[in-house]
Amino acid sequence: MKDPLQTTPEMRSKSPLDKQAWSQQHYGSGFNDARPLMNVKILGNGGALNEGLRFNAFIINGQSLVETPPDICSSLYENAIKVENIQEIFISPFHGDHYFGFPYLALKQFALKKPLSVRLLGPRGLKNRITGIIDLAFGDHHPILDWMEEHYLFEEIDENTRCNFAQGQISTVPMNHIVENYGFRLPGKMDFLYFSDSIWDPRLLEYIKNDSTILMDINGSEGNNSIHASERDVVEHLLPALGENSLVYGTHVQQYRESSVPKLIYAQAGETIVIQH
Ligand SMILES: [Zn+2]
């Protein structure tokens, strides 16, 4: 019997996306327990103010993009990632360095004229924010907005969100930042955690349950630590709380940095972090 949740590209181009159909199409009917290694490709490691770095963004398994900074299209191009492979996008806060590249990414998808279906996750007010920035970029009522109605699924996240992402199930991690902002925890044999922009907050430790690979903002290392965590926070508060196989990757930095601290690595654009998942 034909599965009622299965949709063809023709159907998809006519009907708005719904969450169940999206999950069925991209994940199948259930999760595979024997999940393969997870790849986290660093597209950029720069903070809002930086010296010649690509802005902070990464993509998991070539399909789950996190952040759409102003230079996201260039970063994707440099890493030979086709925009049609992006199935879902996570935006952590509505700050320009995390979403001002979205209109140009959407424009590339729109121009492909292919039956894409993309899930977009972001904080409260997501659809208004996205509509607003597309209006600013291309003028009011650009056809891209109608196209997005059919090809995009908008999902607001909050501090209680548990949902599919990157072929697993994430839970959001609230950040302590000047605007609403969420990282996430993706459990596995080795957990993957993304701590987006945040000052150091001891509550972050509550999300560490296993050996973990943590990608985190340490923009405060250059003295900006009233808004961002710093290398010193990692050394004093985070590393002592981690299991022996855990690693911390620093990102969202101001300039090229190398670490002399064991288990702390500065993520670099183009690098792939492989996680036993
Ligand atoms: Zn930022």
Side-chain angles (χ1 to χ4, degrees), residues 53 87 98 105 149 184 190 206 226 231 239 244 250 265:
L53 303 174
Q87 298 183 356
H98 296 252
L105 175 59
E149 284 294 327
F184 60 81
M190 167 76 78
E206 295 168 15
S226 60
E231 184 176 304
L239 288 176
E244 62 173 326
I265 298 160

Side-chain angles (χ1 to χ4, degrees), residues 92-112:
S92 61
F94 293 120
H95 261 179
D97 58 318
H98 296 252
Y99 88 112
F100 275 13
F102 183 85
Y104 296 94
L105 175 59
L107 182 67
K108 284 195 97 167
Q109 293 170 323
F110 173 70
L112 286 171

Side-chain angles (χ1 to χ4, degrees), residues 27-63:
Y27 292 134
S29 53
F31 293 115
N32 180 358
D33 284 341
R35 274 178 274 172
L37 296 174
M38 190 174 110
N39 289 294
V40 178
K41 167 72 97 174
I42 305 295
L43 301 171
N45 62 337
L49 264 180
N50 75 66
E51 303 295 328
L53 303 174
R54 286 287 182 210
F55 282 112
N56 169 48
F58 58 97
I59 189 164
I60 303 174
N61 295 337
Q63 62 183 40

Side-chain angles (χ1 to χ4, degrees), residues 198-210:
S198 184
I199 56 168
W200 172 253
D201 187 327
R203 287 173 293 186
L204 294 173
L205 296 177
E206 295 168 15
Y207 295 87
I208 294 161
K209 319 258 187 210
N210 286 311

Side-chain angles (χ1 to χ4, degrees), residues 14-212:
K14 290 194 190 82
S15 62
L17 294 177
D18 73 79
K19 196 171 174 177
Q20 246 187 337
W22 193 99
S23 291
Q24 181 77 14
Q25 187 183 22
H26 293 281
Y27 292 134
S29 53
F31 293 115
N32 180 358
D33 284 341
R35 274 178 274 172
L37 296 174
M38 190 174 110
N39 289 294
V40 178
K41 167 72 97 174
I42 305 295
L43 301 171
N45 62 337
L49 264 180
N50 75 66
E51 303 295 328
L53 303 174
R54 286 287 182 210
F55 282 112
N56 169 48
F58 58 97
I59 189 164
I60 303 174
N61 295 337
Q63 62 183 40
S64 304
L65 177 64
V66 182
E67 317 293 12
T68 57
D71 58 359
I72 188 63
C73 289
S74 303
S75 298
L76 290 166
Y77 183 84
E78 283 165 359
N79 288 283
I81 295 165
K82 294 191 167 107
V83 296
E84 57 262 50
N85 293 341
I86 298 170
Q87 298 183 356
E88 48 193 0
I89 302 171
F90 184 103
I91 295 173
S92 61
F94 293 120
H95 261 179
D97 58 318
H98 296 252
Y99 88 112
F100 275 13
F102 183 85
Y104 296 94
L105 175 59
L107 182 67
K108 284 195 97 167
Q109 293 170 323
F110 173 70
L112 286 171
K113 301 196 186 310
K114 286 187 179 175
L116 303 181
S117 58
V118 186
R119 231 174 119 222
L120 180 62
L121 289 77
R124 294 171 179 92
L126 174 65
K127 197 165 182 183
N128 281 344
R129 289 285 190 159
I130 293 300
T131 303
I133 196 166
I134 286 184
D135 282 348
L136 281 172
F138 306 127
D140 291 348
H141 310 303
H142 189 278
I144 205 169
L145 289 174
D146 289 336
W147 177 85
M148 283 187 71
E149 284 294 327
E150 294 183 358
H151 298 268
Y152 259 78
L153 180 69
F154 294 86
E155 280 183 45
E156 288 191 357
I157 55 174
D158 60 31
E159 52 283 351
N160 299 313
T161 299
R162 307 276 179 278
C163 68
N164 295 336
F165 190 74
Q167 295 162 302
Q169 190 158 49
I170 59 166
S171 48
T172 46
V173 179
M175 298 291 119
N176 190 339
H177 197 45
I178 45 184
V179 294
E180 188 179 5
N181 185 8
Y182 302 100
F184 60 81
R185 173 175 175 265
L186 178 56
K189 193 182 281 178
M190 167 76 78
D191 291 357
F192 174 68
L193 292 101
Y194 174 48
F195 292 164
S196 179
D197 301 24
S198 184
I199 56 168
W200 172 253
D201 187 327
R203 287 173 293 186
L204 294 173
L205 296 177
E206 295 168 15
Y207 295 87
I208 294 161
K209 319 258 187 210
N210 286 311
D211 279 337
S212 304

